[in-house]
Amino acid sequence: MKIILSMALFLCLLSSAFAAVDDGMPFGDITDSNVDTLGAFAKTKGLDLLSEMDKVYKNKDKTALGRVFQFSIKLTSLDINTKTYGQIIYSSFLNLGESWGVKAYAQVLNSQRPEVQQRIRDFIYYPVTLLPAKEREHQERETKKAYPLLFPADYTFGRGNQIFLTTPNHRVVR
């Protein structure tokens, strides 16, 4: 499973999606050890995250992806487990969006509870918030325009999401 996640993280570096936004690793350098630690943490919360991601990539299991999305609400601060999870979600968007199509990925997301939808959207959108103000404003418009199924017109980064209250370069709407 570590090989699949490592390949997914590597592939996101090669992706042209969000190329203007980041280098493919918006949550920082994530190591295999970080992935193992997150996997162990997730098990204490009732999810075998690494096994579920294995099902997602190997079997194109949309139900497993939904379970991975639902785990997001178990995270409470932007610590290393959350950053590792964020990188897995961001990479899954780049990789599965390309192989499954953004529409199929968005359908899985849109079938989730509103708080899960917000959290996952925030993880995917996070790299945009890291840009300098002038670039960020342009990229925000372009991202929402390019992915309307993923970022509906009423989407606001960080709304009601305690994890992203203190991220740089943005104002949170509560």
Side-chain angles (χ1 to χ4, degrees), residues 9-24:
L9 293 173
F10 174 74
L11 287 173
C12 80
L13 291 171
L14 301 177
S15 175
S16 61
F18 282 77
V21 177
D22 71 281
D23 65 355

Side-chain angles (χ1 to χ4, degrees), residues 4-146:
I4 290 174
L5 282 176
S6 294
M7 284 177 28
L9 293 173
F10 174 74
L11 287 173
C12 80
L13 291 171
L14 301 177
S15 175
S16 61
F18 282 77
V21 177
D22 71 281
D23 65 355
M25 300 293 282
F27 292 92
D29 294 326
I30 303 300
T31 67
D32 285 343
S33 176
N34 298 138
V35 172
D36 290 341
T37 301
L38 172 62
F41 171 74
K43 281 184 180 178
T44 69
K45 301 293 183 183
L47 180 72
D48 187 343
L49 179 66
L50 303 182
S51 175
E52 293 298 319
M53 287 307 296
D54 195 39
K55 292 174 189 173
V56 169
Y57 281 104
K58 284 185 177 176
N59 304 330
K60 298 183 180 181
D61 188 333
K62 293 177 181 175
T63 304
L65 182 60
R67 287 189 294 271
V68 170
F69 286 167
Q70 291 165 20
F71 177 73
S72 68
I73 60 172
K74 306 263 184 183
L75 303 166
T76 59
S77 66
L78 197 54
D79 61 12
I80 191 61
N81 278 334
T82 302
K83 289 178 181 181
T84 303
Y85 176 84
Q87 187 61 51
I88 289 170
I89 292 300
Y90 182 75
S91 297
S92 78
F93 166 65
L94 296 180
N95 295 312
L96 299 174
E98 188 172 316
S99 64
W100 294 4
V102 173
K103 182 178 180 182
Y105 190 90
Q107 286 173 333
V108 175
L109 177 58
N110 291 332
S111 72
Q112 303 300 311
R113 296 187 321 254
E115 64 270 21
V116 173
Q117 291 178 31
Q118 178 72 38
R119 184 67 59 90
I120 297 302
R121 286 183 175 115
D122 288 349
F123 278 115
I124 296 168
Y125 198 81
Y126 176 75
V128 174
T129 70
L130 302 177
L131 294 170
K134 283 188 177 186
E135 291 176 51
R136 185 174 64 249
E137 291 170 13
H138 171 73
Q139 193 62 43
E140 285 175 344
R141 283 190 304 276
E142 292 302 310
T143 298
K144 289 178 180 181
K145 182 178 171 183

